[in-house]
């Protein structure tokens, strides 16, 4: 009888443990399908990091992140604010400013874009504009202005995307189009949807907006300084500035200067190395001799 009583107690404990595990699993799945996307994402990350940073566990939990959000069933899935956030994070470039990369990650990527654009695009264009010697400073200043301008447009594109998603998350109503612009409508968010979207905005989007504002202000200041430096560089004329109309006028009566220019140009007209002055001279037929 003692053995039977012990066996019965063990079976009761096993049954209770199994039922508790099933209830816990059901509660987690319910939270996954109806809870906050961000909260569940943090939950999965904490479980992953708690297991000694096992990469296999991290990948397994990341696979549980939902592809869509709950609520606003009347709104097409692609136009729901949370889904728009999820779609944006999967697009190229927009992840550069995310919280995972931080300020340092964004700075490294922008520096890479600056270096590549400076060396492959801006410097060759500046070299084709300033073809004579003694114009190294002007070429560097011109290439720098072009590369910084490209960085400014890139930051503007990043901020426009993140700002749009932030506006959609913080609005009380969802504007959407069923099939086109002519049948647009809006749906008010429920309290649960507003709290979820507000939480997602404060946790994931607002820090990115602040980061992009900071970088845009810094790059804007660098761009203004680059423009000033470019103007200063252009004012530092070398001995012979073929782009200065007053210097060209001086060549008419200054024989010594004309001889010096002629010897340095190999006997060809001074405008041969300038696309602009070749066009002014009617194509520069004398340069082909």
């Amino acid at each position: 009888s003692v053995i039977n009583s012990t066996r019965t107690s063990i079976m009761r404990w096993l049954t209770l443990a199994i039922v508790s595990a099933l209830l816990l699993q059901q509660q987690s799945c319910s939270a996954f399908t109806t809870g906050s996307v961000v909260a569940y994402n943090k939950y999965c990350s904490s479980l992953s990091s708690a297991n000694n940073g096992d990469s296999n566990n991290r990948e397994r939990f990341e696979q549980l992140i939902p592809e869509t959000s709950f609520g606003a069933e009347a709104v097409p899935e692609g136009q729901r604010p949370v889904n728009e956030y999820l779609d944006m994070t999967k697009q190229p470039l927009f992840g550069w400013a995310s919280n995972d990369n931080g300020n340092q990650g964004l700075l490294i990527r922008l520096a890479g874009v600056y270096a590549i654009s400076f060396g492959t695009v801006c410097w060759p264009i500046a070299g084709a504009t300033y073809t004579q010697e003694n114009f190294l400073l002007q070429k560097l200043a011109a290439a720098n202005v072009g590369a910084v301008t490209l960085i400014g447009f890139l930051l503007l594109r990043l901020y426009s995307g993140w700002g749009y998603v932030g506006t959609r998350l913080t609005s009380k109503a969802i504007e959407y189009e069923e099939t086109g612009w002519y049948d647009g409508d809006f749906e008010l968010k429920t309290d649960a949807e507003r709290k979820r979207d507000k939480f997602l905005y404060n946790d994931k989007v607002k820090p990115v907006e602040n980061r992009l504002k900071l970088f845009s202000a810094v790059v804007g200041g660098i761009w203004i300084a680059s423009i000033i430096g470019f103007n200063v560089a252009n004012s530092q004329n070398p001995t012979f500035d073929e782009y200065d109309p007053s210097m060209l006028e001086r060549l008419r009566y200054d024989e010594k200067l004309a001889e010096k220019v002629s010897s340095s140009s190999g006997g060809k007209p001074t405008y041969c190395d300038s696309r602009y002055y070749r066009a002014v001279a009617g194509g520069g037929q004398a340069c082909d001799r």
Side-chain angles (χ1 to χ4, degrees):
S1 61
V2 175
I3 297 176
N4 293 334
S5 178
T6 304
R7 184 180 301 174
T8 303
S9 299
I10 294 174
M11 292 299 297
R12 288 179 179 177
W13 280 107
L14 288 176
T15 304
L16 180 60
I18 294 174
V19 171
S20 299
L22 291 176
L23 290 176
L24 179 61
Q25 181 179 6
Q26 182 179 3
Q27 183 178 2
S28 299
C29 294
S30 177
F32 173 76
T33 55
T34 61
S36 170
V37 174
V38 179
Y40 191 79
N41 191 4
K42 286 187 174 182
Y43 169 71
C44 293
S45 299
S46 63
L47 289 178
S48 177
S49 60
N51 199 348
N52 297 326
D54 189 353
S55 59
N56 293 330
N57 289 335
R58 183 179 296 275
E59 293 178 358
R60 183 170 63 234
F61 281 112
E62 286 180 352
Q63 293 176 356
L64 298 177
I65 299 176
E67 298 292 336
T68 184
S69 65
F70 71 90
E73 283 74 12
V75 181
E77 289 189 0
Q79 300 181 42
R80 299 176 188 175
V82 176
N83 291 348
E84 290 176 330
Y85 164 78
L86 295 173
D87 293 339
M88 184 191 64
T89 55
K90 299 176 184 178
Q91 300 302 319
L93 302 182
F94 285 101
W96 288 10
S98 63
N99 292 335
D100 295 335
N101 295 323
N103 293 338
Q104 184 178 1
L106 179 59
L107 180 61
I108 293 174
R109 286 164 174 79
L110 293 180
V113 173
Y114 174 87
I116 294 174
S117 60
F118 184 95
T120 60
V121 179
C122 301
W123 177 256
I125 294 176
T129 303
Y130 298 97
T131 55
Q132 290 288 334
E133 297 181 357
N134 302 323
F135 280 90
L136 178 60
L137 183 61
Q138 287 81 351
K139 288 192 289 186
L140 288 174
N144 177 67
V145 170
V148 173
T149 302
L150 180 61
I151 295 299
F153 280 114
L154 177 59
L155 287 173
L156 180 62
R157 180 67 186 95
L158 292 177
Y159 183 78
S160 64
W162 283 94
Y164 169 78
V165 171
T167 302
R168 298 278 288 176
L169 289 173
T170 55
S171 63
K172 297 181 180 180
I174 304 176
E175 298 181 4
Y176 66 95
E177 299 174 356
E178 295 182 0
T179 58
W181 60 268
Y182 48 84
D183 58 356
D185 201 350
F186 69 93
E187 180 177 350
L188 295 176
K189 298 179 181 179
T190 62
D191 292 338
E193 293 170 357
R194 285 198 300 269
K195 292 179 181 179
R196 176 204 59 190
D197 293 354
K198 187 66 174 179
F199 176 74
L200 178 60
Y201 171 76
N202 291 331
D203 186 66
K204 295 294 185 180
V205 180
K206 187 176 181 179
V208 176
E209 290 182 343
N210 295 334
R211 182 178 299 112
L212 290 174
K213 288 179 181 179
L214 174 62
F215 274 78
S216 298
V218 173
V219 172
I222 295 175
W223 184 82
I224 295 175
S226 300
I227 293 295
I228 296 175
F230 177 70
N231 292 331
V232 172
N234 279 335
S235 64
Q236 305 297 322
N237 296 328
T239 303
F240 172 68
D241 186 0
E242 63 172 306
Y243 307 103
D244 189 356
S246 61
M247 182 64 70
L248 298 177
E249 183 67 22
R250 181 182 172 186
L251 289 174
R252 294 184 179 182
Y253 58 85
D254 193 334
E255 295 182 359
K256 293 183 179 180
L257 180 61
E259 291 177 359
K260 183 178 180 179
V261 172
S262 178
S263 61
S264 63
S265 62
K268 293 183 179 181
T270 57
Y271 59 75
C272 290
D273 291 328
S274 173
R275 294 178 297 174
Y276 171 75
Y277 286 111
R278 285 185 63 156
V280 173
Q285 291 80 3
C287 299
D288 298 330
R289 296 177 183 176

